[in-house]
Amino acid sequence: MRTKLLLTCLAAITIAGSASADRRKYVWTYGTGTMSPDESELEFYQTTRIDDANSWEYRIELEHGISSRADISIYQIFTQADGGSFKWDAFQIRTRYRLAEPGKVAFDPVLYLEYNRKLDLKEQNKLEGKLLLARDFDKVNLALNPVYEFFWAPGDPVHEVGLDVGLSYELSYRFTVAFESTTRYEMLKNLEDETSSYFGPTLSFATGSVYYTVGYAWGLTDDSNDARVRFIL
């Protein structure tokens, strides 16, 4: 009951904070938009991992524009395993930097850097870097995110590389349809490497200045979950 009440309150806060939010066409892939200087927004993410034992992750993101090219975000991350308790799991800091003004360079490249720290200090630190690329072809948008992730301390370091791809079509301002794929290749010391891949549809709805984006992705490899679902408000 407390969990449901908390999530209801968070959703209400997020709707209020989304009044000036940038439209999100994807849930697994980033476009190349950044926040305007001195503007802020609040977003709510829910991710469900569907497997033999389901799990849920909830993220609250506070994002702020630093300049015409850079922004920064702080996340609070909560999780709940099937049959387990709702808990505060981690915090995260993320920044993006636009390499050029929009339209000046092909695919409007943006650098993305993220640090994630679990509250359980027995878990590893995580540093993630991405190159965000996107281009519009009339009503069609193509977004590409090459990814590198590094996990360290405690334990042996782990390297992970991947690629997120999104292709969307804007039927109208209120409705966008897309397909996304996401792949991660994890290099484990003294163990077999793991590859997880997902593919599926994403739908984005907008009412006024509030948007709701939801995506479903099927697991394609033995190392993947059966499926994943994410919505962003």
Side-chain angles (χ1 to χ4, degrees), residues 50-75:
I50 302 171
D51 220 322
D52 294 335
N54 298 338
S55 63
W56 296 266
E57 180 186 88
Y58 310 95
R59 295 187 176 208
I60 311 301
E61 177 193 6
L62 178 60
E63 185 176 23
H64 182 73
I66 300 173
S67 70
S68 61
R69 293 194 178 188
D71 62 20
I72 190 169
S73 289
I74 297 175
Y75 298 75

Side-chain angles (χ1 to χ4, degrees), residues 12-34:
I13 293 172
T14 304
I15 290 173
S18 297
S20 61
D22 292 330
R23 177 71 179 272
R24 291 289 299 269
K25 298 178 180 179
Y26 308 109
V27 295
W28 315 107
T29 311
Y30 277 91
T32 54
T34 57

Side-chain angles (χ1 to χ4, degrees), residues 110-127:
V110 173
L111 297 179
Y112 174 109
L113 187 64
E114 166 195 308
Y115 171 72
N116 181 291
R117 173 70 261 185
K118 298 280 190 179
L119 296 188
D120 182 355
L121 299 183
K122 295 179 182 179
E123 298 287 339
Q124 290 187 307
N125 293 269
K126 174 188 172 185
L127 190 65

Side-chain angles (χ1 to χ4, degrees), residues 26-29 46-51 54 163-165 178-183 196-203 213-221 223-231:
Y26 308 109
V27 295
W28 315 107
T29 311
Q46 178 180 315
T47 304
T48 303
R49 294 174 174 86
I50 302 171
D51 220 322
N54 298 338
L163 179 66
D164 302 329
V165 180
F179 285 95
E180 294 185 76
S181 70
T182 178
T183 298
S196 59
S197 293
Y198 299 87
F199 176 81
T202 298
L203 302 176
T213 307
V214 59
Y216 185 97
W218 291 278
L220 303 178
T221 67
D223 297 321
S224 306
N225 301 129
D226 290 342
R228 291 184 177 182
V229 182
R230 172 176 287 174
F231 77 76

